[in-house]
């Protein structure tokens, strides 16, 4: 039989009576194994030993459900068998909660990384599993962390639409069950399945730049309710097509950030003509391979090999003069502006160093550089690359994740040159700022 502690703290004693020496403390909701009775005392199993606690403060559990163990020390070893002779196969951090599969004397069996593991019962607090809530991930890619802070280690990721189990709330974070272990995700990216507003993070806790997570990304239609006439040319055609493709989602997200949809339309048109993928290039996402970035991440440490295949201007404007060749005896080829060639360069560079090559490209409709992957919530640049290859929604959400307060303020003030200095770099701010304004004006003209 088992029982659950009903008071905040309960002394555990060596014998049945208040005169017996206290040997420990149980906290409220702790679950104990009851092995016998002695008048007003329960004989209990306490850390593998026989001990006693007042039965007045322990409620018997007729049909106990699953038990949860919460780790008390800073680090707790997980072993492959019960006992100190077991090999260490991993560790749990303080505050981690795991479900107890079985008890083996003073050792607890848990599910650890898809297999059985064992932890010492003397270093955990056992409680009855609390009521949990189911939730759905409402972000394209969501980091799972070891603690309730952005500084905590990323231990995995979740995708848009994934179902999760929410155990508790820690400020703006939810504690969840991840790979059968306790972990944490930003609450703003989780939609609870239960219609219980008291359990949601209030809007006032989020900055205006963060509230995009409150939009149901997966159910918001890409296309707007009202389409624009595409019997146009030039910039007018570009902005009309971009609006018709993604205007529904863009309008929602732009409204949350208090910027005009025309600003976002203009940025996408300038970066990629509003396209995320090109049908004529095997339907692959639009990219731009930057030789000077590949030099930074790989070339400067392999200069001889780099210079056999890549050229650039190293005398002040390294973003100019980009050419490449597959072999040292071939002619140099310009590749910017031709997506098939951009991909040929990327695929070749990936054979030299995959991560450096992907860090060196701008991706998709917003043309965000791979080296910004962590800012967008991706643990690796490979994750970002694969996500962007899958769905245009990742491009759009990535754009809004990338926009920092300075960029947003510049767009709100229609200072497109300043925006371009942040987004495209100071060396090209005048050119890009002019193009963004021209597309902004074109969109407003056809919408008026």
């Amino acid at each position: 039989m088992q029982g659950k502690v009903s008071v905040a703290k309960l002394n555990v004693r060596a014998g049945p009576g208040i005169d017996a020496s206290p040997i420990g403390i149980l906290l409220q909701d702790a679950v104990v194994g009851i092995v016998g009775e002695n008048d007003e005392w329960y004989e209990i199993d306490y850390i593998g030993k026989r001990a006693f606690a007042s039965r007045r403060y322990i409620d018997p559990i007729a049909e106990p459900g699953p038990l949860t163990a919460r780790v008390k020390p800073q680090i707790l070893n997980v072993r492959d068998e019960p006992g100190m002779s077991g090999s260490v196969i991993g560790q749990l951090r303080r505050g981690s909660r795991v479900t107890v599969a079985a008890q083996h004397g003073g050792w607890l069996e848990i599910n650890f990384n898809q297999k059985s593991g064992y932890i010492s019962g003397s270093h955990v607090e056992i409680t009855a599993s609390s009521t949990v809530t189911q939730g759905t991930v409402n972000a394209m890619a969501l980091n799972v962390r070891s603690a309730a802070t952005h500084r905590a280690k990323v231990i995995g990721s979740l995708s848009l639409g994934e179902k999760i189990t929410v155990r508790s709330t820690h400020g703006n974070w939810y504690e969840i069950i991840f790979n059968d272990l306790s972990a944490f995700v930003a609450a703003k990216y989780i939609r609870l399945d239960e219609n219980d507003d008291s359990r949601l993070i209030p809007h006032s806790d989020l900055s205006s730049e963060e509230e995009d997570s409150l939009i149901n990304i997966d159910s918001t239609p890409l296309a707007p309710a009202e389409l624009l006439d595409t019997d146009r040319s030039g910039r007018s055609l570009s902005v009309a097509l971009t609006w018709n493709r993604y205007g529904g989602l863009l309008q929602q997200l732009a409204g949350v950030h208090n910027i005009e949809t025309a600003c976002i339309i203009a940025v996408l048109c300038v970066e990629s003509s509003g396209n995320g993928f090109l049908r004529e290039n095997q339907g692959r996402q639009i990219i731009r391979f930057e030789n000077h970035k590949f030099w930074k991440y790989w070339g400067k440490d392999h200069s001889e090999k780099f210079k056999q295949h890549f050229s650039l201007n190293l005398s002040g404007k390294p973003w100019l003069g980009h050419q490449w060749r597959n072999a040292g005896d071939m002619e140099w080829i310009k590749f910017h502006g031709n997506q098939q060639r951009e991909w040929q360069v990327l695929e070749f560079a990936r054979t030299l160093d995959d991560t450096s090559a992907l860090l060196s490209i701008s991706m998709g409709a917003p043309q965000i550089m791979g080296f910004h992957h962590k800012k967008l919530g991706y643990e690796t640049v490979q994750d970002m690359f694969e996500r962007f290859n899958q769905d245009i929604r990742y491009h759009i959400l990535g754009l809004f994740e990338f926009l920092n307060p300075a960029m947003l303020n510049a767009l709100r003030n229609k200072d497109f040159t300043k925006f371009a200095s942040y987004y495209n770099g100071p060396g090209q701010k005048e050119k890009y700022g002019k193009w963004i304004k021209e597309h902004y004006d074109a969109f407003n003209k056809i919408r008026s």
Side-chain angles (χ1 to χ4, degrees):
M1 185 173 73
Q2 292 179 332
K4 184 168 68 172
V5 176
S6 61
V7 292
K9 293 183 179 181
L10 177 62
N11 283 327
V12 178
R13 299 182 180 274
I18 59 173
D19 295 330
S21 300
I23 59 174
I25 292 176
L26 292 171
L27 301 180
Q28 189 166 17
D29 292 333
V31 174
V32 295
I34 300 174
V35 297
E37 300 180 28
N38 190 310
D39 294 329
E40 296 299 315
W41 298 82
Y42 277 134
E43 185 177 357
I44 65 173
D45 184 354
Y46 181 71
I47 317 179
K49 303 176 183 178
R50 291 291 188 265
F52 295 85
S54 174
R55 62 185 298 171
R56 181 184 304 177
Y57 304 112
I58 296 180
D59 298 327
I61 304 174
E63 297 182 5
L67 302 180
T68 294
R70 182 186 291 275
V71 176
K72 294 190 291 185
Q74 191 70 33
I75 296 292
L76 178 62
N77 286 332
V78 181
R79 301 181 181 272
D80 63 355
E81 60 183 40
M84 295 299 293
S85 60
S87 299
V88 176
I89 59 174
Q91 294 178 322
L92 298 174
R93 295 183 180 275
R94 176 185 294 171
S96 296
R97 296 204 294 185
V98 292
T99 300
V100 178
Q103 294 177 283
H104 303 266
W107 291 79
L108 307 177
E109 181 180 351
I110 65 172
N111 190 322
F112 185 78
N113 290 339
Q114 311 303 318
K115 58 185 178 182
S116 292
Y118 300 86
I119 57 177
S120 171
S122 62
H123 298 302
V124 299
E125 172 190 343
I126 300 177
T127 63
S129 294
S130 57
T131 302
V132 296
T133 300
Q134 300 303 309
T136 304
V137 176
N138 200 26
M140 293 300 182
L142 177 59
N143 284 331
V144 180
R145 298 184 183 271
S146 60
T149 171
H150 284 293
R151 295 185 297 275
K153 180 181 178 182
V154 175
I155 59 175
S157 63
L158 298 167
S159 301
L160 178 67
E162 280 197 58
K163 296 290 185 180
I164 62 168
T165 299
V166 179
R167 274 179 151 164
S168 60
T169 300
H170 297 253
N172 287 346
W173 296 81
Y174 283 145
E175 180 188 9
I176 68 168
I177 301 170
F178 184 76
N179 289 339
D180 298 307
L181 301 175
S182 177
F184 298 85
V185 293
K188 63 180 182 176
Y189 295 119
I190 302 299
R191 183 181 69 251
L192 297 181
D193 291 354
E194 294 183 355
N195 186 20
D196 182 359
D197 293 340
S198 65
R199 303 186 65 175
L200 296 174
I201 301 299
H203 290 203
S204 60
D205 288 349
L206 304 177
S207 68
S208 61
E209 287 74 37
E210 294 174 324
E211 291 187 349
D212 60 293
S213 61
L214 302 176
I215 295 175
N216 192 342
I217 300 295
D218 52 340
S219 65
T220 300
L222 274 173
E226 181 181 348
L227 300 180
L228 294 174
D229 177 19
T230 57
D231 186 17
R232 308 173 187 277
S233 61
R235 297 183 184 86
S236 295
L237 176 61
S238 181
V239 295
L241 288 174
T242 302
W243 166 261
N244 289 351
R245 292 174 186 139
Y246 327 123
L249 184 55
L250 292 176
Q251 192 171 34
Q252 285 261 25
L253 293 171
V256 165
H257 292 282
N258 192 29
I259 56 178
E260 290 184 37
T261 308
C263 294
I264 296 299
I265 294 283
V267 170
L268 289 174
C269 286
V270 169
E271 293 300 321
S272 60
S273 298
N275 295 308
F277 303 88
L278 281 186
R279 186 182 310 168
E280 57 269 31
N281 188 32
Q282 304 175 43
R284 295 181 292 191
Q285 66 168 304
I286 293 174
I287 65 167
R288 180 182 170 95
F289 186 89
E290 301 289 3
N291 286 7
H292 62 298
K293 295 300 182 183
F294 194 54
W295 168 261
K296 172 183 176 180
Y297 293 114
W298 182 83
K300 63 184 180 181
D301 295 324
H302 307 83
S303 59
E304 184 175 344
K305 182 73 171 179
F306 178 91
K307 291 176 181 178
Q308 288 179 9
H309 301 283
F310 304 92
S311 71
L312 70 160
N313 184 344
L314 290 175
S315 62
K317 294 184 178 181
W319 57 88
L320 300 178
H322 291 188
Q323 299 183 81
W324 91 291
R325 57 188 179 185
N326 190 41
D329 58 350
M330 297 179 65
E331 292 186 7
W332 289 103
I333 300 173
K334 294 181 180 180
F335 56 91
H336 287 327
N338 183 311
Q339 279 298 298
Q340 289 185 345
R341 290 181 180 176
E342 293 276 6
W343 273 83
Q344 287 173 358
V345 179
L346 171 62
E347 289 166 352
F348 175 77
R350 293 184 76 178
T351 67
L352 301 176
D353 188 278
D354 186 66
T355 297
S356 296
L358 293 177
L359 292 174
S360 304
I361 62 170
S362 54
M363 303 186 200
Q367 287 292 280
I368 298 173
M369 293 298 302
F371 58 77
H372 289 301
H373 62 92
K374 287 188 180 294
K375 185 173 182 179
L376 273 60
Y378 297 101
E379 179 62 14
T380 68
V381 68
Q382 286 83 0
D383 291 339
M384 177 180 170
F385 182 70
E386 292 304 318
R387 293 291 189 188
F388 271 48
N389 272 332
Q390 292 172 11
D391 193 327
I392 191 67
R393 290 175 184 268
Y394 292 108
H395 302 204
I396 294 172
L397 187 64
L399 171 59
F400 282 93
E401 291 282 359
F402 183 72
L403 298 178
N404 60 32
M407 295 181 193
L408 289 166
N409 284 334
L411 289 179
R412 290 172 187 140
N413 296 328
K414 313 301 182 300
D415 191 340
F416 299 120
T417 300
K418 179 178 286 189
F419 171 82
S421 71
Y422 300 135
Y423 198 95
N424 305 101
Q428 305 187 77
K429 64 179 182 179
E430 299 294 341
K431 176 176 66 175
Y432 276 88
K434 177 176 178 290
W435 290 343
I436 294 171
K437 185 180 188 310
E438 290 171 349
H439 284 83
Y440 170 84
D441 291 340
F443 183 75
N444 281 333
K445 182 176 181 180
I446 65 176
R447 289 270 291 178
S448 60

